[in-house]
């Protein structure tokens, strides 16, 4: 086994985590599953090897901690504020091996590198339990618990097998009425710093290994429903049809046109048609819509345009258009203080003559939730062709080596500032 804290160790541990999957042919690890428990056990051992004491909190998040003087210390210990490093351990279905996992393993490697270094704050590492929202349809459950934003209405949400979130908690060995214990006190935190693959093509296009993140896009998600009339495909002439799928198809293309013009991102990710027979005109079409933008104002303006387009298309084609919002998260600005520390780390770790690149993140991250209790900052790593949420997700070990140096230097820059 490669020595902890090296690039080879980081890459090997990401490989190890792929073994904790619900599927033999692809990586899938969801919240409160046996695979989640197995991943926590594996990562806990690595945290202990790095000189951290560990604890699983009331929401299933795994924490490791060392005191300012470098000695292992119980996570959440009061009196000595902590800088938190980490990311998430859950995945989407058919996932790649670096989204979330690389950030957790890099954080452990940084903690090991600094285990003999006295810092002006404690250092904690977290493996958040649920960022993707794959199982229960609500993203950021782990970091929402840690940031004191748990909503009691979530308990009745169920997975594809009908298991409620409350039932899953109990089966995992957690007490639903104790979930509030996972919330962190802002006074006990210095900041939250996360390393993550870019999940986009900009760094590769710029031929750069790293960037700091300026902000995380705010997202809104909707279910759009188009209702027409199901009738015989052979017996109904076009003039008499109220085809829900045709109307929905017009709406999908209009959504793309509007999003491009607005400089935002809009994705129809699911489309369900009823009754779904080859010889029946579709009477109902249900679509999911994901909206993201640099600013909340721009994203919200786009939604108003899309809603108006839905109504116009419905009127033109004789169908009904309805919508339900299922998720809303405001955009999150990264802390200038933490961003400067990350930029300093990048400068020290690379030989580039120009200033480090700053990027906004169209993808969501745990920092969106953690911003409720502390400053947040992020380090982006180049990923091949910008591919993520896919088995072809790939990072170059040379970029991981530079990221590990930059991440470590960022922590030391914050320590110097605080001293």
């Amino acid at each position: 086994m490669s020595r902890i804290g090296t690039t080879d160790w980081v890459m090997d541990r990401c490989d190890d985590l792929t073994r904790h999957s619900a599927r033999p042919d692809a990586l899938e690890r969801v919240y409160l599953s046996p695979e989640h428990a197995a991943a926590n056990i594996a990562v806990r051992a690595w945290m202990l090897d790095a000189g951290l004491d560990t604890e699983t909190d009331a929401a299933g998040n795994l924490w490791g901690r060392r005191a300012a003087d470098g000695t292992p210390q119980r996570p959440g210990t009061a009196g000595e504020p902590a800088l938190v490093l980490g990311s998430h351990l859950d995945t989407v279905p058919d996932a790649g091996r670096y989204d979330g996992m690389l950030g957790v393993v890099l954080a452990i490697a940084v903690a090991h590198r600094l285990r003999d270094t006295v810092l002006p704050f404690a250092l904690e590492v977290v493996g958040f339990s649920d960022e993707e929202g794959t199982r229960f349809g609500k993203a950021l459950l782990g970091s929402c618990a840690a940031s004191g934003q748990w909503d009691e209405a979530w308990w009745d949400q169920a997975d594809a097998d009908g298991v409620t979130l409350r039932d899953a908690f109990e089966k995992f060995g957690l007490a639903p009425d104790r979930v509030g214990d996972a919330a962190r006190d802002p006074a006990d935190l210095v900041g939250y710093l996360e390393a993550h693959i870019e999940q986009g093509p900009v760094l590769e296009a710029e031929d750069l290994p790293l960037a700091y993140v300026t902000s995380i896009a705010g997202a809104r998600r909707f279910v759009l429903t188009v209702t027409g009339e199901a009738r015989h495909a052979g017996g109904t002439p076009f003039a008499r049809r109220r085809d829900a799928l045709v109307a929905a198809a017009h709406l999908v293309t209009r959504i793309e046109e509007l999003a491009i013009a607005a400089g935002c991102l809009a994705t129809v990710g699911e489309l369900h048609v009823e009754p779904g027979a080859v010889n029946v005109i579709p009477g109902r079409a249900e679509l999911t819509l994901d909206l993201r933008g640099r600013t909340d104002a721009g994203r919200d303006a786009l939604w108003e345009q899309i809603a108006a387009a839905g109504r116009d298309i419905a009127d033109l084609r004789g169908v009904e258009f309805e919508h339900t919002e299922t998720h809303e998260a405001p955009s999150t600005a990264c802390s200038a203080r933490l961003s400067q520390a990350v930029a300093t780390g990048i400068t020290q770790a690379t030989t580039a003559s120009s200033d480090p690149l700053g990027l906004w993140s169209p993808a969501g991250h745990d920092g969106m939730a953690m911003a409720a209790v502390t400053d947040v900052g992020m380090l982006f790593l180049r990923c091949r062709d910008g591919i993520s949420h896919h088995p072809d997700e790939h990072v170059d070990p040379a970029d991981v080596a530079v990221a590990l140096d930059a991440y470590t230097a960022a922590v030391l820059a914050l320590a110097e500032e605080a001293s």
Side-chain angles (χ1 to χ4, degrees):
M1 181 183 294
S2 301
R3 184 174 62 84
I4 185 172
T6 66
T7 303
D8 286 344
W9 182 87
V10 170
M11 302 299 287
D12 288 346
R13 298 297 77 74
C14 288
D15 287 344
D16 287 345
L17 282 170
T18 65
R19 301 185 184 117
H20 303 299
S21 172
R23 297 169 54 187
D25 60 333
L27 175 58
E28 181 175 340
R29 184 169 54 249
V30 300
Y31 189 35
L32 304 177
S33 64
E35 296 75 31
H36 170 192
N40 274 10
I41 291 171
V43 175
R44 177 179 182 272
W46 304 338
M47 287 181 174
L48 292 171
D49 287 344
L52 307 174
D53 195 1
T54 65
E55 181 176 60
T56 300
D57 71 16
N61 300 310
L62 177 65
W63 296 83
R65 178 180 171 111
R66 49 148 283 188
D69 64 4
T71 58
Q73 190 177 55
R74 183 180 178 83
T77 298
E80 190 172 63
L83 175 66
V84 179
L85 314 179
S87 191
H88 61 97
L89 291 170
D90 66 312
T91 76
V92 297
D94 205 20
R97 65 184 61 198
Y98 301 109
D99 177 6
M101 290 171 282
L102 178 62
V104 176
V105 176
L106 277 172
I108 295 171
V110 169
H112 181 268
R113 283 188 167 193
L114 298 175
R115 65 183 302 167
D116 296 324
T117 303
V118 176
L119 299 171
F121 41 70
L123 193 65
E124 295 193 12
V125 173
V126 62
F128 283 119
S129 54
D130 180 273
E131 189 258 14
E132 302 288 3
T134 299
R135 184 175 182 185
F136 295 103
K138 172 65 181 77
L140 306 175
L141 286 172
S143 48
C144 278
S147 56
Q149 300 180 84
W150 192 268
D151 188 336
E152 293 294 314
W154 297 339
W155 288 120
D156 293 328
Q157 294 185 199
D159 65 13
D161 295 321
V163 178
T164 67
L165 181 56
R166 180 182 296 276
D167 289 342
F169 253 63
E170 293 172 346
K171 186 175 181 179
F172 197 78
L174 300 173
D177 61 350
R178 298 291 301 276
V179 69
D181 294 350
R184 300 301 303 270
D185 185 341
D188 293 336
L189 302 174
V190 171
Y192 171 71
L193 201 57
E194 178 173 359
H196 204 284
I197 58 173
E198 181 196 349
Q199 299 180 287
V202 177
L203 282 171
E204 188 172 68
E206 296 290 336
D207 194 25
L208 294 171
L210 306 174
Y212 67 92
V213 177
T214 57
S215 64
I216 305 170
R220 295 178 72 179
R221 293 175 183 169
F222 299 84
V223 173
L224 312 180
T225 304
V226 179
T227 305
E229 184 180 28
R231 295 182 61 151
H232 196 290
T236 310
F238 281 111
R240 295 288 303 275
R241 296 187 180 205
R242 297 172 56 220
D243 190 320
L245 180 56
V246 172
H250 280 278
L251 179 57
V252 170
T253 57
R254 186 60 180 145
I255 286 170
E256 183 180 63
E257 293 168 356
L258 291 170
I260 291 172
C264 296
L265 295 169
T267 303
V268 174
E270 297 180 65
L271 174 60
H272 301 281
V273 178
E274 297 176 3
V278 67
N279 58 350
V280 180
I281 296 166
R284 187 175 185 272
E286 186 177 274
L287 308 79
T288 61
L289 174 65
D290 180 293
L291 294 181
R292 302 167 192 249
R294 288 177 184 264
T295 66
D296 294 344
R299 177 205 63 194
D300 294 346
L302 172 60
W303 163 244
E304 294 301 325
Q305 292 179 308
I306 290 172
R311 293 189 292 268
D312 290 345
I313 291 169
D315 289 343
L316 180 65
R317 304 202 66 86
V319 298
E320 298 176 1
F321 171 72
E322 299 175 302
H323 57 82
T324 301
E325 187 165 13
T326 59
H327 173 75
E328 192 277 332
S331 59
T332 301
C334 290
S335 156
R337 174 176 63 91
L338 268 63
S339 295
Q340 181 56 57
V342 175
T344 297
I346 294 172
T347 299
Q348 293 181 12
T350 63
T351 58
S353 58
S354 58
D355 291 337
L357 180 66
L359 296 177
W360 74 289
S361 173
H365 300 283
D366 287 301
M368 300 172 73
M370 291 300 290
V373 289
T374 193
D375 289 345
V376 301
M378 290 192 70
L379 170 69
F380 266 176
L381 287 76
R382 172 169 50 193
C383 58
R384 185 175 61 195
D385 198 31
I387 292 176
S388 182
H389 285 188
H390 188 276
D392 288 344
E393 199 172 80
H394 176 80
V395 293
D396 192 304
D399 290 349
V400 173
V402 176
L404 183 52
D405 289 342
Y407 205 2
T408 306
V411 174
L412 292 174
L414 289 169
E416 182 177 354
E417 176 196 77
S419 298

